[in-house]
Amino acid sequence: MTQKSQPSVSPHTSLKILQVNCFHYIRGGSDKVYFETAELLKSYGHEISYFSTKDPNNAPTVYEDYFVDAIEYFDKKGLVDKVKATLRFVHSGEAADKLDALLKVHRPDVAHLHVFQSRLSASIIKVLKKHKVPMVMTVHEYKLLCPTYTMINGNDQLCERCGSGGYHHCIINKCNKKSYGYSVISAMEAYYRDLFIPCEKWIDHFIMISDFVYNKHVSLKSVFEGKSTRLYNFLNIDNYPYSTEKQDHFLFFGRLIKEKGVLTLIEAFRQRPELQLRIVGTGPMEEDIDTFIQDNGISNIQLLGFKKGEELTKEIAQSKFVIIPSEWYEPFGLTTTEAMATGTPVIGASIGAIPELIQEKRTGFLFAHGQPESLAGALTMASQVSAQTYRSMSENARSFVEDNFSKEEHYQQLLQIYTQVINQYQS
C-alpha cells in the first residue's frame, strides 16, 4: 500500500480523532461506548470529530451538516423506494460523499469506527482508505461474520454457518425477520463488502471487547489474529456509586428483544411467584410481554418502562440482583459491569462473554441460557444467601469492576493502539 509519510506519533501527542457510528444518540450499549470513548479522549486533550446519521434525537454537534440522512430500510412500501433503499443498504453514495467532504475540511489522524454498516455502509471504508486515514474498529457485535450481526438464524438458533463467508446460509434460513427478501438484502451487503471493500483487510486494527468476541472472530476468519486486541469496555465508575441499601427484588434492564432472553426471564419468575422482578426498558416485545403478564395473572413482575441517567442508576443500586438472561453470544454486557459497580451482584446466562464477567458465587451466579428451570434455580440460590455472604458478593462485585474496567487503563491501551496504527503509515 502506498502511504503518505507522516511524523512518528508519541503517546503524548494530541490527536485529531474521528469517531464514527450509525447513531449519534444512545439506543444501546455500542452507542454509549461511542459517546463515552469520545468524552474520555477529550478529557485527555484530544480533538474529536463525529460522523453519523441525522436524527431528531441526536446530541448537538457542529459536524451534523456532514451527517447522512436517516433511513429505515425495511419500512419502505413502494417498489422503487424498496430498490433505492436496498442499494443504499449495500453501498451508500451519500455516506461516501458526505465523509469525503468532511475529510477535506477536518482531516483526522485516525478514524475510530464503531457500528457503521447498513446505515452508513462499508462505502465509508473506501473513502477513509482513499484519504489514507488509519482506521481502528471496535467490534461491538458480529456483523463481519454474520449478515444480521446476531449469529442467530431464522429458526431462532445460534448459528455460525456464515462465519467464513458463506452468506447464502442467511437466505436459506431466512435470518433477517424470517423473510427471504430481507435476508437476500443482508446477504448481498455482506458479499458486496467482502468482494469490493474487504473490511478485514483495509481496517488497520480491531478492538475486540471480550475474549469471547476475539476468539470467535479469529476462529472463523484467521485474518483477525494478527491485527486485533482484546480491550474491555471501560466504566466511568464515578457515575455508579456503591450502595449497601438494597431492596428485596430482582431487576432486568435493557432492550426488550428476544435475544436478550426476556421470555425465559418471565417464565422463570412465573415458576417463582414468591420473588419480585422489575423490568426497565422498552423494545419491540414490550406490548406482547405486557399482554402475557396480564393474561396469565402474573403479579410478581412489574414493567417500569424506559429509565436513564440517575433514575436508572438508582434502580440498579437498590436491586438485590440484576439478571442478564441473554440467549445470543453476548459480546460484553455493559449492564453487568454497571450493576457490579453499584455493588449489585449479577445472575447471568452462561453464554458469550457473560462468564468472563461473573465469578460464580463470588460476584453472582450463572445459569444455562434459554432454560427457565436453570434460571429459576439460580434465583432460589440468590434469594437464600445469608446477609454475610451477600455483603461479600456485593463488595467483590465492586472490586472486580475497579480492578478490570478503569477508564485510565482503557485510555492508555487505546492510545497505544492509535499510536501503533498511525506510525504504520510512515513510508
Side-chain angles (χ1 to χ4, degrees), residues 165-169 171 186-196:
Y167 305 122
H168 62 281
H169 292 291
I171 302 171
S186 294
M188 282 174 53
E189 180 203 22
Y191 276 125
Y192 178 87
R193 179 195 70 218
D194 281 8
L195 285 171
F196 299 105

Side-chain angles (χ1 to χ4, degrees), residues 1-4 6 16-20 49 99-100 102-104 106-113 124-136 202-205 418 421-422 425:
M1 184 196 313
T2 303
Q3 298 166 325
K4 280 186 178 180
Q6 296 185 8
K16 295 180 180 179
I17 304 162
L18 174 65
Q19 293 282 325
V20 180
S49 55
L99 180 58
D100 186 70
L102 172 62
L103 295 178
K104 288 175 180 176
H106 303 280
R107 191 192 188 286
D109 296 302
V110 62
H112 188 155
L113 313 174
I124 66 170
I125 303 300
K126 195 170 186 179
V127 176
L128 289 164
K129 185 176 175 64
K130 182 186 79 171
H131 284 269
K132 297 182 174 60
V133 177
M135 289 175 268
V136 172
W202 288 5
I203 294 174
D204 298 288
H205 203 85
Y418 288 163
V421 299
I422 292 170
Y425 273 62

Side-chain angles (χ1 to χ4, degrees), residues 36 233-237 240 334 337-338 341 401 405-407:
E36 291 190 347
N233 293 324
F234 73 94
L235 193 71
N236 190 343
I237 201 164
Y240 299 88
L334 279 174
T337 53
E338 289 171 346
V401 173
F405 309 105
S406 79
K407 63 180 182 180

Side-chain angles (χ1 to χ4, degrees), residues 160-327:
E160 301 179 7
R161 291 191 173 186
C162 291
S164 299
Y167 305 122
H168 62 281
H169 292 291
C170 176
I171 302 171
I172 294 171
N173 292 295
K174 296 192 292 186
C175 296
N176 191 335
K177 297 180 179 290
K178 303 185 189 300
S179 160
Y180 279 124
Y182 293 151
S183 299
V184 167
I185 295 171
S186 294
M188 282 174 53
E189 180 203 22
Y191 276 125
Y192 178 87
R193 179 195 70 218
D194 281 8
L195 285 171
F196 299 105
I197 310 175
C199 294
E200 295 93 332
K201 295 180 181 179
W202 288 5
I203 294 174
D204 298 288
H205 203 85
F206 296 90
I207 295 173
M208 304 294 183
I209 61 175
S210 65
D211 288 331
F212 184 89
V213 170
Y214 176 91
N215 292 331
K216 187 61 63 181
H217 280 78
V218 168
S219 68
L220 293 172
K221 289 185 177 179
S222 59
V223 66
F224 288 108
E225 186 167 13
K227 56 193 313 187
S228 300
T229 299
R230 194 276 281 152
L231 178 58
Y232 284 135
N233 293 324
F234 73 94
L235 193 71
N236 190 343
I237 201 164
D238 294 337
N239 294 335
Y240 299 88
Y242 180 78
S243 174
T244 58
E245 298 178 5
K246 306 296 183 182
Q247 298 178 8
D248 196 23
H249 64 255
F250 298 80
L251 174 70
F252 169 89
F253 67 102
R255 288 269 292 163
L256 302 184
I257 50 179
K258 190 175 189 304
E259 56 262 36
K260 291 296 185 180
V262 289
L263 297 180
T264 295
L265 175 70
I266 290 170
E267 179 56 32
F269 275 88
R270 191 182 182 188
Q271 296 178 18
R272 292 292 185 272
E274 75 280 9
L275 303 178
Q276 300 296 313
L277 170 67
R278 293 161 70 90
I279 294 178
V280 172
T282 59
M285 294 186 68
E286 184 175 5
E287 187 175 334
D288 291 340
I289 292 170
D290 189 32
T291 299
F292 183 84
I293 290 172
Q294 299 300 325
D295 289 349
N296 290 276
I298 301 174
S299 60
N300 62 328
I301 299 178
Q302 287 181 276
L303 296 178
L304 304 180
F306 179 75
K307 293 179 184 287
K308 65 177 181 178
E310 291 183 6
E311 186 181 21
L312 175 58
T313 302
K314 183 178 179 181
E315 192 72 46
I316 297 168
Q318 291 181 343
S319 300
K320 189 170 185 180
F321 285 86
V322 162
I323 305 174
I324 315 293
S326 294
E327 293 176 11

Side-chain angles (χ1 to χ4, degrees), residues 5 53 74 145 210 247 255 292 327 332 345 348 361 385 397 420:
S5 176
T53 57
F74 303 112
L145 304 176
S210 65
Q247 298 178 8
R255 288 269 292 163
F292 183 84
E327 293 176 11
F332 179 75
K361 298 181 181 179
V385 297
Q420 172 188 328

Side-chain angles (χ1 to χ4, degrees), residues 15-34:
L15 299 175
K16 295 180 180 179
I17 304 162
L18 174 65
Q19 293 282 325
V20 180
N21 192 55
C22 276
F23 303 107
H24 197 66
Y25 65 98
I26 296 178
R27 283 176 35 131
S30 58
D31 310 311
K32 191 170 187 177
V33 172
Y34 159 74

